[in-house]
């Protein structure tokens, strides 16, 4: 408790760097990042200690009038996630933030601390009022951070789109709180847990809560803000938004599901599961079409949040069918993958920031060969890409493996053919998602880091400063550590659900995850064999490099030449482009993606070389084109219609007022 309260004070101290004089702006930045690292470390330590040594009672419990703070095991899990990600991203930001020197760096450092403070405050909220205040603070500060580079038109547009969407979500959450609180003794979480809401109003509360939190987490079709906001924000802000803020939406929805609404209605869980599955596949499909590095990662966040909510929905379905013993597998899968995604996406957004910092572009079509210029960044990006592709010995496989196991358990326990068909659909969607994700990150890594430089911007590429590499390296180490030894995280997460919604803890994960179980991911022998192969590979590589150097030094004949290419010298134009790599998938799902192609003749004819062409390809977002743009046009047309009654006549406006008063009087008499 003491550490949590001290951490809040440290975040406040870091926020005060906003008012430091401009002449010491760099010192203010260092102080702000130091406060963020220390405070985040305290949050992580307190929550980890609580989860590793479970005791009866609260991690934190305090109140001031109508506002209260409290934290249970569900809160502690997300506090651990926030503290760990906040500390590592703040280390990265020490060097990354210096690029904003002279460009409101004090504001960036202060808002960074306030952003972390608002996230922790949401997780510590003990009543609806505190939650909404903290939630709105988080939305406002994240808007200011997204809009930090306000000199760019696209940044301002993305920031205000995000602000509008997040307030729509907040309105839905407030309605859900109002409905539940109105049927409770008060708006404290303890009293709201004993609400008397039922029937139609209970369903309305669920729909409002799911809409609000699904919007914040970026589930389709409510994701429209996410691919625009992430590329606009500074990279360490994008890392925290994707790695932590999206998970706060899972925390809020879980609070409603476990504590306020319950999970006894089958179709509640079914909707969550189906929306998650569709979001997962469409998210990674759009990611594979993008060439902007940060938009690829943004759509990948849509994919992974879809997987998380699909697992959570599967747990809700099993709980509604009285499978209270095995539903813990699905809930654990959701929370484990939330931890994993926080690390993976945080790492890759930091890697994207490093690449942008180095070459000055986010377009992977302009890169190539960066592994030679940025070897450490390339290594960390490779680890993150492998994890997001769910390859073995990375944390990405752990959560997705448990997700598959939860659906397999549902199929085994399902009593009807219809439910089994639903599980088959889930496996198909998850299989397509996994395969597409692998292709997506092979495409990203291969285009940006391998092969030859595609343009001259690669010439100025260079490796990053020490703190940026340290922040990325810490997350990469955790990804591999969890991938090799997942039991500690899985067992700790399993204990989170002890006592939550009467979920039974004990046997299910032992059957599925235990080292001697038939579904165990890795055995000690497999891990030893992998390490042995890695050691052998390193030894052979070093031996060959030393031998080669020795031959050169002794004057032995060494011949170097380019790869034979039918008598011509290979060029960067002969490499696969990112657009060409994704073409087979684009053609397979042409009906969903609806690509727009344009061909422009820059030069009609030439005496020797023929015509010069410019080919452009655009992949529009199907929901933006077919849902949001028609709604926007409808609102514009409606506004134009109402504009006709604004004639500028004072007498006419007085007449409107008199008519309104008469209607109100008649209404009052009738009532």
């Amino acid at each position: 408790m003491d550490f949590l309260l001290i951490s809040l004070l440290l975040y406040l101290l870091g926020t005060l760097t906003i008012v430091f004089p401009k002449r010491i702006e760099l010192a203010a930045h260092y102080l702000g990042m130091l406060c963020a690292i220390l405070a985040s470390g305290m949050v992580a330590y307190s929550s980890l200690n609580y989860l590793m040594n479970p005791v009866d009672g609260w991690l934190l419990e305090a109140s001031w009038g109508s506002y209260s703070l409290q934290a249970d095991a569900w809160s502690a899990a997300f506090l651990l996630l926030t503290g760990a990600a906040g500390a590592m991203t703040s280390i990265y930001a020490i060097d990354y933030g210096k690029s904003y020197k002279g460009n409101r760096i004090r504001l960036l450092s202060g808002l960074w601390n306030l952003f972390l403070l608002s996230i922790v405050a949401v997780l510590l909220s003990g009543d609806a009022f505190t939650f909404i205040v903290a939630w709105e603070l988080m939305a406002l500060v994240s808007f200011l951070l997204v809009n930090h580079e306000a000199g760019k038109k696209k940044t301002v547009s993305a920031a205000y789109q995000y602000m509008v969407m997040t307030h729509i979500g907040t309105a839905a959450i407030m309605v859900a709180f109002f409905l539940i609180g109105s049927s409770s003794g008060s708006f404290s979480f303890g009293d709201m847990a004993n609400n008397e809401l039922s029937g139609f109003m209970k369903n309305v509360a669920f729909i409002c809560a799911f809409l609000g939190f699904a919007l914040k987490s970026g589930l389709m079709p409510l994701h429209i803000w996410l691919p625009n906001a992430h590329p606009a924000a500074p990279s360490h802000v994008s890392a925290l938004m994707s790695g932590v803020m999206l998970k706060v939406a899972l925390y809020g929805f879980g609070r409603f599901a476990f504590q306020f609404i319950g999970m006894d209605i089958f179709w509640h869980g079914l909707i969550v599961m189906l929306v998650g599955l569709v979001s997962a596949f469409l998210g990674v499909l759009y990611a594979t079409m993008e060439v902007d590095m940060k938009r690829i990662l943004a759509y990948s966040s849509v994919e992974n949040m879809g997987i998380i909510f699909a697992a959570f929905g599967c747990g809700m379905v099993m709980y509604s069918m009285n499978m209270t013993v095995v539903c813990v597998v699905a809930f654990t899968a959701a929370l484990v993958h939330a931890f994993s995604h926080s690390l993976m996406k945080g790492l890759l957004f930091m890697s994207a920031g490093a690449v942008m910092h180095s070459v000055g572009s986010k377009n992977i079509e302009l890169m190539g060969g960066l592994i030679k210029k940025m070897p450490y960044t390339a290594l960390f990006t490779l680890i993150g890409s492998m994890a997001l592709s769910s390859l073995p010995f990375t944390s990405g496989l752990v959560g997705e493996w448990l997700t598959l196991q939860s659906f397999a358990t549902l199929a085994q326990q399902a009593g009807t053919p219809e439910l089994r068909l639903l599980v088959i659909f889930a496996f198909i969607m998850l299989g397509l998602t996994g395969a597409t994700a692998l292709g997506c990150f092979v495409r990203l890594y291969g285009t940006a880091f391998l092969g030859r430089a595609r343009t001259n911007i690669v010439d100025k590429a260079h490796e990053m400063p020490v703190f940026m590499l340290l922040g990325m390296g810490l997350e990469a180490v955790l990804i591999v550590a969890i991938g090799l030894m997942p039991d500690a995280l899985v067992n700790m997460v399993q204990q989170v659900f002890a006592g939550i919604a009467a979920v039974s803890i004990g046997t299910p994960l032992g059957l599925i995850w235990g080292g001697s179980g038939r579904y165990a991911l890795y055995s000690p022998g497999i891990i030893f064999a992998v390490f042995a192969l890695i050691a052998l590979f390193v030894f052979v590589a070093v031996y060959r490099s030393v031998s080669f150097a020795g031959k050169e030094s002794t004057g032995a004949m060494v011949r170097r030449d380019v790869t034979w290419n039918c008598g011509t010298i290979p060029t960067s134009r002969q490499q696969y482009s990112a657009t060409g790599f994704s073409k087979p998938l684009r053609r397979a799902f042409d009906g969903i993606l609806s690509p727009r192609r344009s061909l422009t003749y820059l030069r009609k004819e030439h005496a020797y070389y023929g015509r010069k062409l410019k080919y452009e390809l655009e992949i529009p977002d199907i929901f933006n084109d077919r849902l949001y743009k028609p709604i926007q046009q409808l609102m514009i047309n409606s506004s134009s219609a109402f504009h006709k009654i604004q004639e500028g006549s004072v007498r006419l406006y007085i007449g409107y007022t008199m008519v309104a008063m008469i209607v109100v009087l008649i209404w009052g008499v009738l009532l």
Side-chain angles (χ1 to χ4, degrees), residues 216-256:
K216 196 70 171 182
S217 61
L219 296 184
M220 289 190 174
L222 304 172
H223 70 290
I224 197 68
W225 62 271
L226 199 150
N228 297 324
H230 280 319
S235 292
H236 63 300
V237 174
S238 298
L240 197 64
M241 288 178 66
S242 183
V244 178
M245 189 183 75
L246 300 186
K247 312 306 178 297
V248 176
L250 174 65
Y251 163 80
F253 182 70
R255 180 68 67 188
F256 270 82

Side-chain angles (χ1 to χ4, degrees), residues 433-454:
T433 300
T436 308
L438 177 60
C440 174
F441 287 99
V442 167
R443 171 182 180 265
L444 184 152
Y445 190 82
T447 305
F449 288 92
L450 303 181
R452 294 190 175 199
R454 300 168 189 273

Side-chain angles (χ1 to χ4, degrees), residues 196-206 261 264-265 267-268:
E196 299 176 355
L197 202 64
S198 61
F200 174 75
M201 298 310 294
K202 183 176 181 179
N203 292 332
V204 172
F206 163 76
I261 298 176
D264 55 320
I265 300 177
W267 67 267
H268 287 184

